[in-house]
PDB file of all heavy atoms in Angstrom:
ATOM      1  N   ILE P   9      82.667  93.166  99.800  1.00 98.00           N
ATOM      2  CA  ILE P   9      83.341  94.454  99.674  1.00 98.00           C
ATOM      3  C   ILE P   9      82.348  95.656  99.557  1.00 98.00           C
ATOM      4  O   ILE P   9      81.254  95.483  99.424  1.00 98.00           O
ATOM      5  CB  ILE P   9      84.145  94.443  98.179  1.00 98.00           C
ATOM      6  CG1 ILE P   9      83.112  94.284  97.056  1.00 98.00           C
ATOM      7  CG2 ILE P   9      85.055  93.286  98.167  1.00 98.00           C
ATOM      8  CD1 ILE P   9      83.696  94.715  95.696  1.00 98.00           C
ATOM      9  N   GLY P  11      84.294  98.643  98.164  1.00 97.00           N
ATOM     10  CA  GLY P  11      85.009  99.627  97.418  1.00 97.00           C
ATOM     11  C   GLY P  11      85.901  99.178  96.287  1.00 97.00           C
ATOM     12  O   GLY P  11      85.424  98.266  95.572  1.00 97.00           O
ATOM     13  N   ARG P  12      87.141  99.574  96.444  1.00 97.00           N
ATOM     14  CA  ARG P  12      88.094  99.306  95.158  1.00 97.00           C
ATOM     15  C   ARG P  12      88.472  97.744  95.056  1.00 97.00           C
ATOM     16  O   ARG P  12      88.793  97.294  94.007  1.00 97.00           O
ATOM     17  CB  ARG P  12      89.302 100.233  95.260  1.00 97.00           C
ATOM     18  CG  ARG P  12      90.321  99.618  96.370  1.00 97.00           C
ATOM     19  CD  ARG P  12      91.408 100.651  96.567  1.00 97.00           C
ATOM     20  NE  ARG P  12      91.852 100.282  97.960  1.00 97.00           N
ATOM     21  CZ  ARG P  12      92.786 100.844  98.604  1.00 97.00           C
ATOM     22  NH1 ARG P  12      93.498 101.825  97.984  1.00 97.00           N
ATOM     23  NH2 ARG P  12      93.101 100.427  99.719  1.00 97.00           N
ATOM     24  N   GLY P  13      88.478  97.031  96.233  1.00 98.00           N
ATOM     25  CA  GLY P  13      88.560  95.600  95.971  1.00 98.00           C
ATOM     26  C   GLY P  13      89.970  95.084  95.741  1.00 98.00           C
ATOM     27  O   GLY P  13      90.122  94.033  95.116  1.00 98.00           O
ATOM     28  N   SER P  14      91.063  95.840  96.241  1.00 98.00           N
ATOM     29  CA  SER P  14      92.408  95.274  95.853  1.00 98.00           C
ATOM     30  C   SER P  14      92.765  94.037  96.696  1.00 98.00           C
ATOM     31  O   SER P  14      93.370  93.054  96.220  1.00 98.00           O
ATOM     32  CB  SER P  14      93.506  96.379  96.069  1.00 98.00           C
ATOM     33  OG  SER P  14      93.647  96.661  97.479  1.00 98.00           O
ATOM     34  N   ASN P  15      92.308  94.007  97.972  1.00 98.00           N
ATOM     35  CA  ASN P  15      92.412  92.769  98.728  1.00 98.00           C
ATOM     36  C   ASN P  15      91.628  91.596  98.031  1.00 98.00           C
ATOM     37  O   ASN P  15      92.082  90.464  98.066  1.00 98.00           O
ATOM     38  CB  ASN P  15      91.983  92.863 100.271  1.00 98.00           C
ATOM     39  CG  ASN P  15      93.212  93.510 101.022  1.00 98.00           C
ATOM     40  OD1 ASN P  15      94.211  92.899 101.207  1.00 98.00           O
ATOM     41  ND2 ASN P  15      92.993  94.779 101.371  1.00 98.00           N
ATOM     42  N   MET P  16      90.459  91.945  97.629  1.00 98.00           N
ATOM     43  CA  MET P  16      89.601  90.891  96.892  1.00 98.00           C
ATOM     44  C   MET P  16      90.335  90.318  95.755  1.00 98.00           C
ATOM     45  O   MET P  16      90.480  89.136  95.526  1.00 98.00           O
ATOM     46  CB  MET P  16      88.345  91.691  96.424  1.00 98.00           C
ATOM     47  CG  MET P  16      87.495  90.833  95.498  1.00 98.00           C
ATOM     48  SD  MET P  16      86.508  91.933  94.380  1.00 98.00           S
ATOM     49  CE  MET P  16      87.824  92.237  93.234  1.00 98.00           C
ATOM     50  N   LYS P  47      86.185  94.497  88.669  1.00 98.00           N
ATOM     51  CA  LYS P  47      87.455  93.678  88.678  1.00 98.00           C
ATOM     52  C   LYS P  47      87.084  92.211  88.963  1.00 98.00           C
ATOM     53  O   LYS P  47      87.736  91.346  88.242  1.00 98.00           O
ATOM     54  CB  LYS P  47      88.355  94.039  89.913  1.00 98.00           C
ATOM     55  CG  LYS P  47      88.881  95.487  89.688  1.00 98.00           C
ATOM     56  CD  LYS P  47      89.905  95.717  90.997  1.00 98.00           C
ATOM     57  CE  LYS P  47      90.309  97.104  91.106  1.00 98.00           C
ATOM     58  NZ  LYS P  47      90.941  97.554  92.357  1.00 98.00           N
ATOM     59  N   LEU P  88      85.773  89.512 104.619  1.00 98.00           N
ATOM     60  CA  LEU P  88      85.507  90.943 104.534  1.00 98.00           C
ATOM     61  C   LEU P  88      86.698  91.619 104.010  1.00 98.00           C
ATOM     62  O   LEU P  88      87.888  91.454 104.519  1.00 98.00           O
ATOM     63  CB  LEU P  88      85.158  91.509 105.893  1.00 98.00           C
ATOM     64  CG  LEU P  88      84.093  90.878 106.711  1.00 98.00           C
ATOM     65  CD1 LEU P  88      83.727  91.658 108.016  1.00 98.00           C
ATOM     66  CD2 LEU P  88      82.733  90.678 105.888  1.00 98.00           C
ATOM     67  N   ALA P  89      86.540  92.340 102.945  1.00 98.00           N
ATOM     68  CA  ALA P  89      87.680  93.048 102.343  1.00 98.00           C
ATOM     69  C   ALA P  89      87.214  94.506 101.984  1.00 98.00           C
ATOM     70  O   ALA P  89      86.718  94.731 100.938  1.00 98.00           O
ATOM     71  CB  ALA P  89      88.100  92.179 101.118  1.00 98.00           C
ATOM     72  N   GLY P  90      87.403  95.429 103.000  1.00 97.00           N
ATOM     73  CA  GLY P  90      86.957  96.762 102.795  1.00 97.00           C
ATOM     74  C   GLY P  90      85.523  96.834 102.717  1.00 97.00           C
ATOM     75  O   GLY P  90      84.960  97.653 101.997  1.00 97.00           O
ATOM     76  N   PHE P  91      84.779  95.921 103.526  1.00 97.00           N
ATOM     77  CA  PHE P  91      83.368  95.959 103.692  1.00 97.00           C
ATOM     78  C   PHE P  91      83.033  96.944 104.713  1.00 97.00           C
ATOM     79  O   PHE P  91      83.417  96.844 105.858  1.00 97.00           O
ATOM     80  CB  PHE P  91      82.796  94.576 103.970  1.00 97.00           C
ATOM     81  CG  PHE P  91      81.416  94.484 104.021  1.00 97.00           C
ATOM     82  CD1 PHE P  91      80.607  94.499 102.890  1.00 97.00           C
ATOM     83  CD2 PHE P  91      80.691  94.209 105.242  1.00 97.00           C
ATOM     84  CE1 PHE P  91      79.264  94.467 102.847  1.00 97.00           C
ATOM     85  CE2 PHE P  91      79.309  94.118 105.204  1.00 97.00           C
ATOM     86  CZ  PHE P  91      78.572  94.218 104.125  1.00 97.00           C
ATOM     87  N   MET P  92      82.273  98.087 104.332  1.00 95.00           N
ATOM     88  CA  MET P  92      82.141  99.201 105.255  1.00 95.00           C
ATOM     89  C   MET P  92      80.810  99.155 105.939  1.00 95.00           C
ATOM     90  O   MET P  92      80.426 100.229 106.473  1.00 95.00           O
ATOM     91  CB  MET P  92      82.255 100.362 104.522  1.00 95.00           C
ATOM     92  CG  MET P  92      83.671 100.647 103.844  1.00 95.00           C
ATOM     93  SD  MET P  92      84.977 100.528 105.026  1.00 95.00           S
ATOM     94  CE  MET P  92      84.788 102.105 105.764  1.00 95.00           C
ATOM     95  N   ASN P 109      88.529  89.142 108.602  1.00 98.00           N
ATOM     96  CA  ASN P 109      88.609  90.650 108.169  1.00 98.00           C
ATOM     97  C   ASN P 109      90.024  90.997 108.151  1.00 98.00           C
ATOM     98  O   ASN P 109      90.956  90.273 108.721  1.00 98.00           O
ATOM     99  CB  ASN P 109      87.897  91.449 109.128  1.00 98.00           C
ATOM    100  CG  ASN P 109      87.900  92.922 108.744  1.00 98.00           C
ATOM    101  OD1 ASN P 109      87.700  93.311 107.675  1.00 98.00           O
ATOM    102  ND2 ASN P 109      88.198  93.747 109.745  1.00 98.00           N
ATOM    103  N   ILE P 110      90.341  91.999 107.425  1.00 98.00           N
ATOM    104  CA  ILE P 110      91.693  92.437 107.364  1.00 98.00           C
ATOM    105  C   ILE P 110      91.630  93.966 107.754  1.00 98.00           C
ATOM    106  O   ILE P 110      90.752  94.706 107.378  1.00 98.00           O
ATOM    107  CB  ILE P 110      92.392  92.419 106.011  1.00 98.00           C
ATOM    108  CG1 ILE P 110      93.937  92.764 106.130  1.00 98.00           C
ATOM    109  CG2 ILE P 110      91.729  93.037 104.890  1.00 98.00           C
ATOM    110  CD1 ILE P 110      94.816  92.101 105.025  1.00 98.00           C
ATOM    111  N   HIS P 111      92.656  94.395 108.566  1.00 98.00           N
ATOM    112  CA  HIS P 111      92.695  95.760 109.122  1.00 98.00           C
ATOM    113  C   HIS P 111      94.113  96.224 108.864  1.00 98.00           C
ATOM    114  O   HIS P 111      95.044  95.557 109.371  1.00 98.00           O
ATOM    115  CB  HIS P 111      92.210  95.917 110.574  1.00 98.00           C
ATOM    116  CG  HIS P 111      92.125  97.171 111.025  1.00 98.00           C
ATOM    117  ND1 HIS P 111      91.197  98.178 110.799  1.00 98.00           N
ATOM    118  CD2 HIS P 111      93.041  97.942 111.890  1.00 98.00           C
ATOM    119  CE1 HIS P 111      91.344  99.257 111.444  1.00 98.00           C
ATOM    120  NE2 HIS P 111      92.600  99.216 112.091  1.00 98.00           N
ATOM    121  N   PRO P 112      94.280  97.532 108.496  1.00 98.00           N
ATOM    122  CA  PRO P 112      95.596  98.083 108.174  1.00 98.00           C
ATOM    123  C   PRO P 112      96.388  98.644 109.423  1.00 98.00           C
ATOM    124  O   PRO P 112      96.844  99.771 109.388  1.00 98.00           O
ATOM    125  CB  PRO P 112      95.427  99.068 107.034  1.00 98.00           C
ATOM    126  CG  PRO P 112      94.124  99.605 107.324  1.00 98.00           C
ATOM    127  CD  PRO P 112      93.305  98.513 107.932  1.00 98.00           C
ATOM    128  N   GLN P 124      96.225 104.359 109.796  1.00 98.00           N
ATOM    129  CA  GLN P 124      97.549 104.824 109.357  1.00 98.00           C
ATOM    130  C   GLN P 124      97.859 106.217 110.065  1.00 98.00           C
ATOM    131  O   GLN P 124      98.955 106.435 110.579  1.00 98.00           O
ATOM    132  CB  GLN P 124      97.711 104.938 107.912  1.00 98.00           C
ATOM    133  CG  GLN P 124      97.407 103.661 107.156  1.00 98.00           C
ATOM    134  CD  GLN P 124      95.985 103.420 106.730  1.00 98.00           C
ATOM    135  OE1 GLN P 124      95.078 104.225 107.133  1.00 98.00           O
ATOM    136  NE2 GLN P 124      95.743 102.337 105.973  1.00 98.00           N
ATOM    137  N   LEU P 173      99.370  98.396 102.391  1.00 98.00           N
ATOM    138  CA  LEU P 173      98.407  97.617 101.508  1.00 98.00           C
ATOM    139  C   LEU P 173      99.149  96.567 100.734  1.00 98.00           C
ATOM    140  O   LEU P 173      98.641  95.381 100.557  1.00 98.00           O
ATOM    141  CB  LEU P 173      97.840  98.638 100.427  1.00 98.00           C
ATOM    142  CG  LEU P 173      96.723  98.145  99.577  1.00 98.00           C
ATOM    143  CD1 LEU P 173      95.477  97.716 100.533  1.00 98.00           C
ATOM    144  CD2 LEU P 173      96.336  99.144  98.563  1.00 98.00           C
ATOM    145  N   GLU P 176      99.157  93.742 103.079  1.00 97.00           N
ATOM    146  CA  GLU P 176      97.747  93.164 103.106  1.00 97.00           C
ATOM    147  C   GLU P 176      97.739  92.080 102.109  1.00 97.00           C
ATOM    148  O   GLU P 176      97.196  90.995 102.330  1.00 97.00           O
ATOM    149  CB  GLU P 176      96.831  94.266 103.015  1.00 97.00           C
ATOM    150  CG  GLU P 176      96.719  95.232 104.154  1.00 97.00           C
ATOM    151  CD  GLU P 176      95.599  96.213 103.989  1.00 97.00           C
ATOM    152  OE1 GLU P 176      94.519  95.837 103.626  1.00 97.00           O
ATOM    153  OE2 GLU P 176      95.878  97.475 104.204  1.00 97.00           O
ATOM    154  N   HIS P 177      98.188  92.416 100.821  1.00 97.00           N
ATOM    155  CA  HIS P 177      97.995  91.635  99.722  1.00 97.00           C
ATOM    156  C   HIS P 177      98.685  90.203  99.841  1.00 97.00           C
ATOM    157  O   HIS P 177      98.406  89.331  99.167  1.00 97.00           O
ATOM    158  CB  HIS P 177      98.289  92.172  98.377  1.00 97.00           C
ATOM    159  CG  HIS P 177      97.510  93.446  98.184  1.00 97.00           C
ATOM    160  ND1 HIS P 177      97.735  94.411  97.257  1.00 97.00           N
ATOM    161  CD2 HIS P 177      96.287  93.840  98.694  1.00 97.00           C
ATOM    162  CE1 HIS P 177      96.819  95.355  97.225  1.00 97.00           C
ATOM    163  NE2 HIS P 177      95.887  95.044  98.185  1.00 97.00           N
TER     164      HIS P 177
HETATM  165  C1  GRF A   1      92.141  97.925 103.244  1.00 74.34           C
HETATM  166  O1  GRF A   1      93.177  98.773 103.797  1.00 74.34           O
HETATM  167  C2  GRF A   1      91.625  97.014 104.450  1.00 74.34           C
HETATM  168  O2  GRF A   1      92.614  96.655 105.331  1.00 74.34           O
HETATM  169  C3  GRF A   1      90.595  97.929 105.039  1.00 74.34           C
HETATM  170  O3  GRF A   1      89.896  98.535 103.991  1.00 74.34           O
HETATM  171  C4  GRF A   1      90.822  98.683 102.897  1.00 74.34           C
HETATM  172  C5  GRF A   1      90.213  98.088 101.676  1.00 74.34           C
HETATM  173  O4  GRF A   1      90.940  98.194 100.521  1.00 74.34           O
HETATM  174  N1  GRF A   1      89.686  97.032 105.805  1.00 74.34           N
HETATM  175  P1  GRF A   1      90.723  97.348  99.202  1.00 74.34           P
HETATM  176  O5  GRF A   1      89.231  97.607  98.967  1.00 74.34           O
HETATM  177  O6  GRF A   1      90.865  95.913  99.586  1.00 74.34           O
HETATM  178  O7  GRF A   1      91.577  97.832  98.154  1.00 74.34           O
END
Side-chain angles (χ1 to χ4, degrees):
I9 64 165
R12 73 189 157 180
S14 71
N15 279 290
M16 173 208 77
K47 293 185 195 166
L88 306 183
F91 184 68
M92 299 303 285
N109 182 44
I110 187 158
H111 182 75
Q124 300 91 351
L173 194 62
E176 293 185 42
H177 298 163

